Amino acid sequence: MDTIARDKMTKTGSVDFYYSGYSINSEKVLMCFFEKGFEFDGHYIDLFKFEQTRPEYLRINPLGLVPTLVINGTQIPESTIINEYVDDLMPSNPLRPEDPLLRAKMRELVQRFQESFYPSMSLLSQFHFVAGELKRRWTDSELEEMIRRKPLRERIERQERALQKGLSEADIANAEHNANTMLDGMDAHLSNGSDWLLGEFSLADIAAAPNVHRFFQLGLEEAVGKRSNVMAWYRRIKERPSFVRTYEYAVQDFS
Ligand SMILES: N[C@@H](CCC(=O)N[C@@H](CS)C(=O)NCC(=O)O)C(=O)O
């Protein structure tokens, strides 16, 4: 940890991070922590056991979502905001461009990934993996009861659709379409030959990384392989120690 951060951390005291494995938003924050050398006490919330809906976690994050960072009792329950907070706290090795215009472009990319990339990859994950895994572990009535504990109506509906009503071909086609649009956007950004989305490595690359990695986890890597700039970027991302540590740390035990 660098000196400025250590000074600030000493004042703040406890740093608790609630996260899950197989969670794009948790992985996005872990990668930022490992880039920055940010120290934290990790608390695993198992989404496959619906631990995000337990009363003790809902006191920490009333929306029942991961990740949440808690600094000395103050909760930050948004991955994008956690990453900016950590970058503010530890100004050395900055992960945001200094130039205000480039910084605005970085935020634009991060927001777009959050609004379009993550929901698409999340839906494809439900379809290709999560729904089957949940059905393997729980009976229909157990699932019905646990899903209803979610505080957000749209999350209940989303999971009911994936598990009970079934996702339609149009749902899958829309998610694939949006995910491909995100990959095309990344490919265009990288077409000037730069290593990273905005020239220097930034929070935009970190926000993209777990979404692009998810194609590989789901066996859909052909979509990435077709875009040579994104594929070369992905190879570079995978070499970063922060990426390697993230996927070691956020490992999910499916046995
Ligand atoms: N806007 C939030 C979204 C968090 C979110 O959607 N997290 C997912 C995991 S990646 C989650 O907690 N899912 C559990 C559920 O929907 O019940 C953020 O960026 O932190």
Side-chain angles (χ1 to χ4, degrees), residues 52-65 68 75 77 149-152:
Q52 75 274 29
T53 64
R54 285 194 180 156
E56 37 302 12
Y57 185 63
L58 292 178
R59 279 194 287 277
I60 294 163
N61 185 331
L63 299 183
L65 300 174
T68 306
Q75 296 102 329
R149 284 194 231 140
K150 292 188 183 208
L152 288 174

Side-chain angles (χ1 to χ4, degrees), residues 61-182:
N61 185 331
L63 299 183
L65 300 174
V66 289
T68 306
L69 179 66
V70 185
I71 301 281
N72 209 22
T74 299
Q75 296 102 329
I76 311 179
E78 276 295 332
S79 57
T80 298
I81 296 171
I82 298 171
N83 284 2
E84 291 229 15
Y85 166 75
V86 170
D87 203 40
D88 280 335
L89 193 68
M90 303 176 78
S92 66
N93 171 30
L95 290 174
R96 288 169 296 178
E98 210 172 307
D99 174 65
L101 190 56
L102 266 186
R103 191 175 280 216
K105 295 305 284 180
M106 184 215 84
R107 290 196 168 119
E108 176 196 324
L109 277 185
V110 171
Q111 187 167 329
R112 187 168 307 149
F113 293 154
Q114 200 61 30
E115 286 171 359
S116 289
F117 214 167
Y118 163 65
S120 308
M121 298 317 292
S122 172
L123 189 135
L124 292 173
S125 303
Q126 287 282 342
F127 180 68
H128 289 285
F129 179 68
V130 176
E133 185 60 28
L134 287 173
K135 284 185 172 176
R136 194 179 67 78
R137 291 183 185 209
W138 306 101
T139 65
D140 288 349
S141 57
E142 282 168 337
L143 283 172
E144 199 177 322
E145 190 271 316
M146 288 190 292
I147 291 169
R148 291 212 178 131
R149 284 194 231 140
K150 292 188 183 208
L152 288 174
R153 190 69 228 165
E154 69 264 23
R155 297 285 174 150
I156 295 177
E157 278 167 11
R158 197 161 93 174
Q159 204 147 39
E160 278 179 352
R161 268 204 1 256
L163 285 165
Q164 292 156 356
K165 297 173 190 153
L167 292 165
S168 68
E169 276 178 30
D171 289 326
I172 307 303
N174 290 343
E176 282 173 353
H177 180 89
N178 285 353
N180 281 324
T181 300
M182 294 297 112

Side-chain angles (χ1 to χ4, degrees), residues 31 35 93-97 195-206 209 233 236-237 240 242:
M31 190 168 169
E35 278 292 331
N93 171 30
L95 290 174
R96 288 169 296 178
D195 278 358
W196 306 112
L197 290 170
L198 291 155
E200 295 296 310
F201 183 79
S202 77
L203 292 180
D205 297 288
I206 289 179
W233 170 94
R236 285 189 285 277
I237 277 279
R240 291 188 86 90
S242 61

